[in-house]
Amino acid sequence: METVGLNAGFWSGKRVLLTGHTGFKGSWLALWLRELGAEVTGFALDPQPGPNLYELAQVGRDIKDARGDLRDLGALLEVVAEAQPEIVLHLAAQPLVREAYRDPLGTWSSNVMGTLNLLEAIRQVGGVRSVVLVTTDKVYANQEWPWPYRENEALGGHDPYSSSKACCELLAQSYAASFFPPASHAEHGLALATARAGNVLGGGDFAAERLIPDVLKAWDAGHPVTLRYPQAVRPWQHALEPLAGYLLLAHRLYTEGPVFAGAWNFGPAEGDMCSVGDVVAHLSRQWPDSPGMRVEPSDLHEAGVLRLDSGRARQLLGWRTRWSLRECLEHTLQWHLAWKRGDEMRAVTLDQLNLYAELS
């Protein structure tokens, strides 16, 4: 399979360590890597209780599945030493803004110390050539301005989740400069980059306090969905869009080294950066007799406007989005209805993955 600049010939047989493979994005990425022929070792906590993409799509069927906590350096050293990865894709994290308010210590320790432990395991074991650390679009010091953020904008983070991910960006910069500097790349052989994606949607996301799972759960029960910030603007995109970016970036880091290091944005087209209320309205047009929405404002801070400029990825990586917001919501709803019907979800998931992959 070749798609969006991805080369199955490159990925075939590559040893890849993927953290967070039991999560929503991680499950999609693990399936994609296997379709490309990579030898995948996953390291993550158990998947969330209840329905989850990892189990529904049988992701663990043809990868090496290691369970553990990123805060356990010994466990990470063991997995890295055994897997001997050439490429590391780090997706594992505590990813929810409101959960971070409830458990800031757990969020900072998982996201910051977990990332530190992974980098230290990579440094100690050696042999890794390409590392992509996934953070978030929320790492920027949000000024609530209407234009999109570029990679050279100031980092910040009002809430604990955003702050923890901004810390990961600084940590990555420090490790790259201290232990994997470009000037000595011929000696250590490793190139490291961070990836900042927008708000991802797609089939198989059952997480609490995320927009589309909340909408579908409420509408399945015949209730209007409760929205906290219907006016909030976010960069919406299907999960496969940034995942394609991570794969392209990992490839270029591997083959061309630190010239592709640093931070990269992977966000949607400008027209798909719309409000929460607009997204729900889009989805309701595809859902006959949808119960609609109601608003219950929250006193917890969340950014009002957040847009990403992905010009660097488009120009230097040749990456671009393939599905509009309308198409993204259509595929997400189709996946959900297939699950409700009791369809075989590995086949459904792979069909959508291959549909995306056929675009060029």
Side-chain angles (χ1 to χ4, degrees):
M1 180 204 304
E2 298 201 14
T3 173
V4 206
L6 301 183
N7 187 323
F10 167 78
W11 287 99
S12 181
K14 287 290 187 299
R15 298 186 304 277
V16 179
L17 174 63
L18 170 61
T19 72
H21 69 291
T22 60
F24 166 56
K25 284 172 70 179
S27 291
W28 277 104
L29 186 52
L31 287 172
W32 201 346
L33 284 163
R34 284 300 300 140
E35 288 290 288
L36 289 166
E39 297 177 7
V40 181
T41 297
F43 181 83
L45 298 172
D46 293 337
Q48 66 180 33
N52 61 78
L53 180 58
Y54 180 81
E55 292 173 342
L56 289 170
Q58 305 169 50
V59 175
R61 193 170 81 182
D62 48 8
I63 69 171
K64 295 178 183 177
D65 176 19
R67 301 295 172 86
D69 195 312
L70 287 168
R71 291 169 288 191
D72 185 345
L73 176 59
L76 272 170
L77 282 166
E78 221 173 278
V79 168
V80 175
E82 182 178 347
Q84 291 293 305
E86 303 163 84
I87 297 171
V88 175
L89 297 162
H90 177 44
L91 274 67
Q94 191 300 97
L96 301 174
V97 172
R98 289 171 69 83
E99 175 61 24
Y101 277 114
R102 289 188 288 266
D103 183 15
L105 180 59
T107 298
W108 268 304
S109 62
S110 293
N111 293 353
V112 181
M113 292 307 299
T115 301
L116 175 60
N117 283 340
L118 177 63
L119 288 171
E120 184 59 16
I122 290 168
R123 185 179 76 86
Q124 289 191 30
V125 174
V128 176
R129 291 182 54 174
S130 170
V131 179
V132 176
L133 303 180
V134 175
T135 59
T136 176
D137 55 354
K138 297 172 182 63
V139 298
Y140 295 105
N142 197 310
Q143 307 297 322
E144 302 287 349
W145 54 42
W147 50 86
Y149 291 89
R150 296 171 297 178
E151 290 88 346
N152 59 354
E153 309 281 4
L155 298 175
H158 181 284
D159 61 89
Y161 168 72
S162 302
S163 170
S164 73
K165 286 298 197 172
C167 288
C168 290
E169 291 278 350
L170 295 173
L171 175 59
Q173 292 174 20
S174 173
Y175 247 75
S178 299
F179 304 112
F180 311 116
S184 58
H185 180 256
E187 179 183 342
H188 57 73
L190 186 146
L192 183 153
T194 60
R196 305 164 180 176
N199 287 45
V200 294
L201 312 174
D205 186 3
F206 294 93
E209 299 177 332
R210 281 190 186 150
L211 178 59
I212 299 303
D214 285 353
V215 171
L216 296 177
K217 183 177 180 181
W219 289 0
D220 280 341
H223 304 309
V225 63
T226 300
L227 302 181
R228 301 186 302 273
Y229 302 101
Q231 73 282 4
V233 174
R234 297 286 184 270
W236 310 100
Q237 59 191 336
H238 195 282
L240 292 174
E241 306 281 19
L243 295 182
Y246 306 162
L247 292 171
L248 280 168
L249 179 55
H251 181 174
R252 300 299 284 275
L253 289 167
Y254 186 99
T255 56
E256 299 177 54
V259 67
F260 283 91
W264 297 81
N265 285 342
F266 296 102
E270 177 63 27
D272 290 331
M273 290 187 263
C274 58
S275 74
V276 169
D278 288 339
V279 171
V280 177
H282 271 292
L283 193 59
S284 69
R285 287 192 283 272
Q286 301 181 36
W287 185 292
D289 303 318
S290 77
M293 59 184 177
R294 59 191 178 91
V295 179
E296 287 186 6
S298 169
D299 58 356
L300 296 179
H301 174 272
E302 290 189 38
V305 178
L306 181 55
R307 302 174 187 270
L308 286 182
D309 183 327
S310 304
R312 185 178 185 225
R314 287 194 301 270
Q315 293 174 25
L316 300 183
L317 291 175
W319 174 86
R320 64 181 176 89
T321 58
R322 302 288 162 159
W323 282 344
S324 66
L325 178 59
R326 181 190 60 78
E327 291 170 313
C328 167
L329 293 172
E330 181 180 301
H331 293 304
T332 301
L333 183 56
Q334 288 173 352
W335 193 102
H336 179 77
L337 294 176
W339 169 65
K340 295 288 288 184
R341 288 193 304 267
D343 291 358
E344 204 284 300
M345 295 314 296
R346 180 180 175 90
V348 171
T349 307
L350 288 174
D351 282 348
Q352 289 201 352
L353 174 57
N354 282 286
L355 179 66
Y356 180 87
E358 289 169 1
L359 300 172
S360 60

